[in-house]
Amino acid sequence: EVVSEHSHPVHDILFPLSGKGKIWIKGLGDFELKNGAVVCVPPGAVHKVYEVTEDLELYDIFSGPIL
């Protein structure tokens, strides 16, 4: 595992800029991380990044409730 299982109290929105890997989100499944993908992890969802086959560069946004 590259990033072990964890969660956040807010949305975690990932924009891969380069590289390749996978993300697992509990209850939702596995998704590819590669340029052009956008992954939104819901608040409180356990997730992990794994199977990185090319160094990942991620633009990662953490967003709380929108008022």
Side-chain angles (χ1 to χ4, degrees):
E1 293 179 7
V2 174
V3 178
S4 60
E5 292 184 17
H6 65 285
S7 65
H8 310 281
V10 295
H11 286 94
D12 183 2
I13 306 166
L14 297 100
F15 299 88
L17 302 175
S18 63
K20 291 184 181 176
K22 292 185 179 179
I23 185 169
W24 167 80
I25 305 170
K26 185 175 184 176
L28 297 176
D30 301 281
F31 302 90
E32 285 192 59
L33 291 173
K34 63 182 181 179
N35 185 269
V38 177
V39 178
C40 183
V41 181
V46 175
H47 58 287
K48 68 178 180 179
V49 174
Y50 68 103
E51 284 188 21
V52 174
T53 57
E54 294 177 22
D55 288 344
L56 275 171
E57 181 179 11
L58 299 172
Y59 186 74
D60 198 356
I61 298 172
F62 296 92
S63 175
I66 299 173
L67 303 176

